[in-house]
């Protein structure tokens, strides 16, 4: 099934999903942002500037790496890793923050705010703010500042102020609430860089567009290496920005199967997971209509995942649309499966993946052996795992004396 | 004529701005909300805004966030909110508006909510994160049920948006006094008067001013140019502070509302 390349529509809808569900105070700002974005989107000067920074600052294009040992171990599909972990700051998040910060610069906004879960988006935002000399404040739940302490330090070193969020679940969801509240208060001077394909229109579209560089490069690279398109793409989905970025340029290639991997946490039946698409219902959170983990009365439920970047009870609205249309298949893997994949890639390829990306790897470990040896799989390795080694060590009870 | 319209007409004749009081349903307890609302009316509140608790109150400051969290933890549902309204309606004709975030309304169902809210005796609704662009379908149900759909305008609203809201709104227009979240504030921005007048150029509906109002003096200033004064966080603060002893709570709430209500008389304020 094909998706309409013109989506979202003029109301910011992907089918019934998306839209702009915010209080009136923010409506004018979102309308202004939408028109500013549409103006620069096709502006050759803006494109050249963004391309310059992507190449010379972020280190793009990132390699499409043939994971030979991993492929052999699994004995099925030929596996390629899109190495977003090699982008500056260690994850795909920089693709989006560069784009949005350059836009903020154009709009002459002296202050930038962002929410962060794993801290990767926070670091990527703090980085571009240092680069472009813009004041920066990052909102992060106290649960996450504890388990991603090294990223908190990085943000501070980069000159950002980190605001710890104590309300609600004290994770990404409430960091986003707090960032929204700040934006409502300081909307005239502040640009809000949302880190995922979530939030009110135009964010899901804009973030998707900035992240599409992942899929555009992957498509060109695989055509050059293999002279054909891949059979399957795999990416983890929390809000879903790395997945949207990889999938979108392939969406009209009907022979390319796509799989989004959600976090099943302690298991879907345990209630402690972040699988909004598998277990949620359509609803409205953070400005857009999408699948949400919620109770029968529309109260949003806390999510759980070992990967803080996936620990979110919603998902980008375009994913909800792609789920309903059947163009993308969504599956999920547990914390334990992700941890196993984390170790597997470290030991077979010498690449320590982020716990978020480990979810995509875990799903690949399950499905690759069932595929023929001439089939091709691309996995988005969205980030590197340095930020996770402390918490993984704790779970695995490793210390420096472990043999 | 709807209860809201009737109330504004009546107050217009007495030369008083309406005092609209917001409290979160189920804070501190569902049964106490009924008594609190009746106390608010007895003390001079003209319209009640009954907050529907939500897990993610994005546009609220710490006070109403905390109230929402207390009520949410206590398990207050949309059904409870509607049953509170039904209980008040048996004993009072005060106009009641449900006030909240969209997801609990959406989960309840547009048609179901419209029918049940009207059945319980509610008069209108305000959904913070549902701007007119997204409200059409829901509004078609609430219109049929005779409920007023109240929209917000803010200091950031452009002329275009004022025109849009004016065209869609019913009951009254809620003008958010500050660029910010809810919460009591020592000083308010009185360029609000100009904004109110701008709204009047587009709409004949009453204009209520809220967010940040906490003192009779502020109420008095707003009453000079607006049709309603809306108080929320300051009232919720009192509820939070005195919730342990019921009699004290009702007494303190009554005292506070009486003071504000006196500030709403227009004849008094124009003499200043």
């Amino acid at each position: 099934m094909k998706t309409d390349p013109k989506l979202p529509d003029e109301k910011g809808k992907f089918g019934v999903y998306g839209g702009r569900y915010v209080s009136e105070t923010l409506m004018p700002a979102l309308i202004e942002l939408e028109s500013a974005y549409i103006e620069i989107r096709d502006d050759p000067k803006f494109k050249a500037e963004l391309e310059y920074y992507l190449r010379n600052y972020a280190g793009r294009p990132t390699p499409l790496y043939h994971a030979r040992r991993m492929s052999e171990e699994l004995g099925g599909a030929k596996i390629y890793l899109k190495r977003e972990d090699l982008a500056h700051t260690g994850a795909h998040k920089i693709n989006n923050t560069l784009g949005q910060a350059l836009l903020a610069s154009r709009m002459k906004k002296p202050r930038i705010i962002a929410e962060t879960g794993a801290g990767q988006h926070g670091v990527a935002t703090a980085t571009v703010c240092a680069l472009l000399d813009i004041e920066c404040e990052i909102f992060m739940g106290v649960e996450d500042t504890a388990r991603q302490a090294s990223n908190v330090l990085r943000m501070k070193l980069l000159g950002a102020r980190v605001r710890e969020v104590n309300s609600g679940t004290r994770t990404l969801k409430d960091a986003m609430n707090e960032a929204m509240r700040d934006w409502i208060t300081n909307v005239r001077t502040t640009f809000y860089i949302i880190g995922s394909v979530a939030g009110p229109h135009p964010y899901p579209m804009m973030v998707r567009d900035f992240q599409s560089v992942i899929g555009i490069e992957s498509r060109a690279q695989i055509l050059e290496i293999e002279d054909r398109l891949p059979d399957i793409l795999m990416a983890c989905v929390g809000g879903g920005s790395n997945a949207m970025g990889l999938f979108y340029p392939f969406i009209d290639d009907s022979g390319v199967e796509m799989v989004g991997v959600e976090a099943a946490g302690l298991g879907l039946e345990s209630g402690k997971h972040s699988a909004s698409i598998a277990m949620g219902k359509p609803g409205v959170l953070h400005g857009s209509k999408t699948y949400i983990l919620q109770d029968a009365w529309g109260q949003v439920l806390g999510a759980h995942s070992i990967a803080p970047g996936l620990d979110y009870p919603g998902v980008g609205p375009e994913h909800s649309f792609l789920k309903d249309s059947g163009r993308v298949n969504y599956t999920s893997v547990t914390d334990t499966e992700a941890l196993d994949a984390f170790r597997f890639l470290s030991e077979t390829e010498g690449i320590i993946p982020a716990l978020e990306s480990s979810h995509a790897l875990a799903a690949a470990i399950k499905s690759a052996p069932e595929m023929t040896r001439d089939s091709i799989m691309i996995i988005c390795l969205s980030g590197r795992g340095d930020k996770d080694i402390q918490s993984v060590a704790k779970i695995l009870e490793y210390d420096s004396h472990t043999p | 004529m709807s209860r809201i319209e009737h109330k504004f007409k009546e107050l217009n004749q007495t030369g008083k701005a309406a005092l609209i009081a917001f409290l979160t349903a189920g804070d501190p307890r569902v049964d106490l909300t009924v008594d609190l609302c009746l106390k608010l009316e007895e003390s001079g509140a003209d319209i009640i805004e009954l907050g529907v608790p939500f897990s993610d109150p994005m546009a609220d400051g710490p006070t109403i966030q905390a109230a929402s969290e207390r009520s949410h933890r206590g398990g207050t549902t949309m059904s409870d909110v509607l049953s509170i309204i039904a209980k008040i309606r048996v004993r009072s004709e005060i106009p009641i508006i449900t006030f909240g975030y969209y997801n609990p309304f959406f989960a309840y169902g547009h048609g179901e909510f419209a029918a049940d809210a009207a059945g319980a005796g509610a008069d209108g609704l305000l959904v913070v994160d549902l701007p007119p662009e997204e409200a059409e379908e829901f509004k078609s149900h609430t219109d049929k049920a005779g409920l007023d759909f109240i929209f917000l305008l803010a200091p950031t609203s452009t002329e275009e948006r004022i025109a849009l809201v004016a065209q869609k709104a019913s009951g009254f227009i809620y003008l958010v006094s500050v660029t910010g979240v809810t919460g009591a504030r020592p000083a308010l921005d009185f360029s609000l008067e100009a904004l109110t007048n701008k709204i009047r150029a587009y709409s004949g509906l009453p204009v209520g001013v809220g967010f940040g109002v906490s003192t009779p003096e502020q109420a008095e200033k707003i009453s000079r140019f607006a049709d309603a004064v809306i108080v929320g966080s300051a009232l919720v603060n009192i509820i939070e502070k005195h919730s342990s002893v019921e009699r004290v709570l009702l007494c303190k709430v009554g005292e506070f509302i009486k003071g504000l209500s006196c500030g709403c008389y227009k004849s008094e304020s124009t003499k200043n």
Side-chain angles (χ1 to χ4, degrees):
Chain A
M1 198 184 293
K2 243 174 93 154
T3 185
D4 184 343
K6 285 191 294 292
L7 289 180
D9 66 18
E10 74 283 356
K11 287 182 82 182
K13 293 280 169 88
F14 304 91
V16 299
Y17 300 108
R20 205 140 44 188
Y21 297 84
V22 296
S23 72
E24 176 61 27
T25 307
L26 293 180
M27 283 301 286
L30 289 168
I31 292 165
E32 182 199 356
L33 176 61
E34 183 190 6
S35 64
Y37 173 64
I38 287 171
E39 201 184 305
I40 56 102
R41 189 170 55 181
D42 303 313
D43 172 9
K45 254 180 79 186
F46 183 88
K47 277 164 100 173
E49 196 181 6
L50 178 58
E51 245 172 67
Y52 170 85
Y53 283 111
L54 285 174
R55 173 179 291 273
N56 300 296
Y57 186 74
R60 303 207 72 90
T62 58
L64 186 70
Y65 165 70
H66 173 211
R68 197 175 45 79
R69 280 201 64 205
M70 180 181 181
S71 306
E72 276 169 14
E73 283 282 324
L74 298 175
K78 189 170 183 184
I79 296 170
Y80 284 88
L81 302 176
K82 180 58 175 167
R83 299 290 309 274
E84 293 302 297
D85 60 317
L86 293 177
H88 180 43
T89 71
H92 70 292
K93 295 292 185 186
I94 192 86
N95 305 330
N96 170 47
T97 58
L98 270 173
Q100 288 199 51
L102 288 172
L103 177 55
S105 239
R106 285 250 176 148
M107 292 171 77
K108 303 204 165 30
K109 300 283 184 184
R111 179 173 178 264
I112 280 176
I113 57 168
E115 83 294 336
T116 196
Q120 290 303 106
H121 175 58
V123 167
T125 303
T127 297
V128 295
C129 286
L131 175 71
L132 301 172
D133 191 20
I134 302 175
E135 184 191 338
C136 178
E137 252 176 80
I138 306 292
F139 294 84
M140 190 171 185
V142 290
E143 290 278 325
D144 294 331
T145 53
R147 55 180 169 168
Q148 304 278 278
S150 65
N151 272 342
V152 176
L153 182 59
R154 288 168 81 195
M155 287 184 264
K156 288 182 178 170
L157 284 170
L158 291 160
R161 198 169 148 211
V162 179
R163 295 262 298 267
E164 294 199 335
V165 177
N166 257 305
S167 55
T169 61
R170 299 175 177 85
T171 59
L172 181 54
K173 166 175 89 78
D174 291 275
M176 195 150 174
N177 287 337
E178 210 52 44
M180 285 274 185
R181 289 181 191 118
D182 183 289
W183 202 35
I184 290 174
T185 307
N186 301 301
V187 62
R188 289 189 171 94
T189 57
T190 299
F191 189 105
Y192 180 15
I193 300 191
I194 291 182
S196 195
V197 285
H201 181 62
Y203 284 101
M205 166 180 80
M206 181 168 68
V207 177
R208 174 199 72 196
D209 293 351
F210 286 137
Q211 289 296 359
S212 287
V213 67
I214 301 172
I216 292 169
E217 284 176 9
S218 299
R219 199 171 182 284
Q221 287 165 322
I222 200 73
L223 285 175
E224 191 181 316
I225 303 167
E226 295 280 354
D227 200 25
R228 74 171 184 90
L229 290 172
D231 298 288
I232 187 166
L233 307 175
M234 304 198 100
C236 66
V237 176
S241 70
N242 86 87
M244 247 0 276
L246 176 64
F247 296 168
Y248 191 64
F250 288 94
I251 222 117
D252 292 332
D253 299 318
S254 54
V256 180
E257 191 187 338
M258 302 176 183
V259 180
V261 186
E262 294 190 293
L266 304 180
L268 293 182
E269 62 297 326
S270 72
K272 290 192 178 308
H273 56 76
S274 304
S276 324
I277 289 180
M279 305 301 280
K281 279 183 313 202
V284 169
L285 177 66
H286 294 147
S288 69
K289 188 178 280 179
T290 189
Y291 280 93
I292 291 168
L293 298 177
Q294 55 183 318
D295 69 12
W297 297 101
Q299 303 291 343
V300 180
L301 298 171
H304 164 84
S305 170
I306 192 174
L310 304 182
D311 197 344
Y312 181 67
V315 64
E318 194 164 10
H319 283 294
S320 296
F321 172 77
L322 293 170
K323 144 85 179 166
D324 285 6
S325 77
R327 178 65 186 92
V328 176
N329 292 314
Y330 292 87
T331 180
S332 60
V333 302
T334 63
D335 285 352
T336 313
E337 289 169 325
L339 261 179
D340 289 345
F342 179 93
R343 298 174 70 179
F344 177 80
L345 194 75
S346 300
E347 288 166 16
T348 56
E349 293 289 348
I351 298 170
I352 300 177
L355 282 173
E356 290 76 16
S357 324
S358 299
H359 284 73
L361 293 165
I365 288 170
K366 285 198 246 183
S367 56
E370 285 157 24
M371 298 173 69
T372 58
R373 280 179 182 270
D374 60 352
S375 48
I376 297 171
M377 171 188 280
I378 296 178
I379 305 168
C380 188
L381 191 60
S382 56
R384 69 178 186 222
D386 306 46
K387 68 186 179 64
D388 297 311
I389 54 176
Q390 295 302 337
S391 47
V392 169
K394 219 159 139 192
I395 295 161
L396 299 179
E397 293 175 345
Y398 273 11
D399 61 32
S400 50
H401 306 298
T402 307
Chain B
M1 195 188 299
S2 78
R3 278 192 205 91
I4 294 173
E5 196 183 344
H6 180 76
K7 178 61 82 178
F8 276 107
K9 285 237 162 88
E10 188 185 289
L11 289 168
N12 204 22
Q13 281 162 8
T14 30
K16 186 181 181 264
L19 177 62
I20 304 181
F22 169 94
L23 76 172
T24 302
D27 173 41
R29 295 193 316 270
V30 166
D31 59 323
L32 205 50
T33 302
V34 176
D35 296 337
L36 276 168
C37 289
L38 294 170
K39 187 70 186 180
L40 292 173
E41 182 182 24
E42 179 197 313
S43 313
D46 301 297
I47 297 175
I48 304 271
E49 277 181 2
L50 200 52
V52 180
F54 184 48
S55 50
D56 295 82
M58 282 186 334
D60 282 299
T63 301
I64 294 176
Q65 275 179 54
S68 194
E69 212 167 309
R70 286 193 295 273
S71 171
H72 178 39
R73 265 204 312 271
T76 312
T77 64
M78 185 64 91
S79 246
D80 294 326
V81 176
L82 297 179
S83 79
I84 288 169
I85 295 172
K87 281 182 189 149
I88 299 168
R89 193 51 77 225
V90 175
R91 296 160 67 181
S92 159
E93 283 298 301
I94 190 165
I96 304 172
I97 296 154
T98 55
F99 188 111
Y101 293 83
Y102 182 45
N103 205 49
F105 292 90
F106 179 69
Y108 197 93
H110 290 164
E112 292 79 355
F113 175 83
D116 293 356
D123 302 289
L125 71 160
L126 193 162
V127 187
V128 181
D129 52 351
L130 198 65
E133 287 91 335
E134 303 287 0
E136 223 140 282
E137 210 266 333
F138 193 10
K139 192 170 180 291
S140 71
H141 290 278
T142 56
D143 281 354
K144 253 184 260 160
L147 298 171
D148 282 323
F149 212 110
I150 294 134
F151 287 107
L152 298 169
L153 281 171
T156 53
S157 299
T158 55
E159 196 115 4
E160 226 177 328
R161 298 203 54 79
I162 294 174
L164 175 70
V165 164
Q167 187 202 334
K168 305 277 181 184
S170 56
F172 63 95
I173 287 171
Y174 188 132
L175 174 58
V176 174
S177 66
V178 292
T179 307
V181 294
T182 57
R185 284 171 176 82
L188 293 175
D189 175 3
F190 281 89
S191 62
L192 282 172
E193 185 168 357
L195 193 49
T196 304
N197 292 335
K198 210 188 261 179
I199 296 169
R200 291 199 199 283
Y202 288 95
S203 170
L205 288 176
V207 178
V209 173
F211 277 37
V213 181
S214 60
T215 67
E217 291 70 31
Q218 288 172 330
E220 212 175 291
K221 281 188 185 166
I222 292 170
S223 299
R224 285 180 202 164
F225 61 85
D227 306 296
V229 176
I230 307 164
V231 62
S233 295
L235 172 60
V236 172
N237 273 329
I238 292 173
I239 294 174
E240 178 178 11
K241 201 165 152 200
H242 301 286
S243 64
S244 53
V245 186
E246 207 174 302
R247 236 176 313 168
V248 178
L249 171 64
L250 292 172
C251 184
K252 292 281 182 188
V253 161
E255 184 183 59
F256 175 69
I257 291 298
K258 270 180 204 158
L260 284 182
S261 177
C262 292
C264 292
Y265 281 98
K266 287 177 184 273
S267 53
E268 185 68 21
S269 48
T270 44
K271 275 183 208 159
N272 286 347

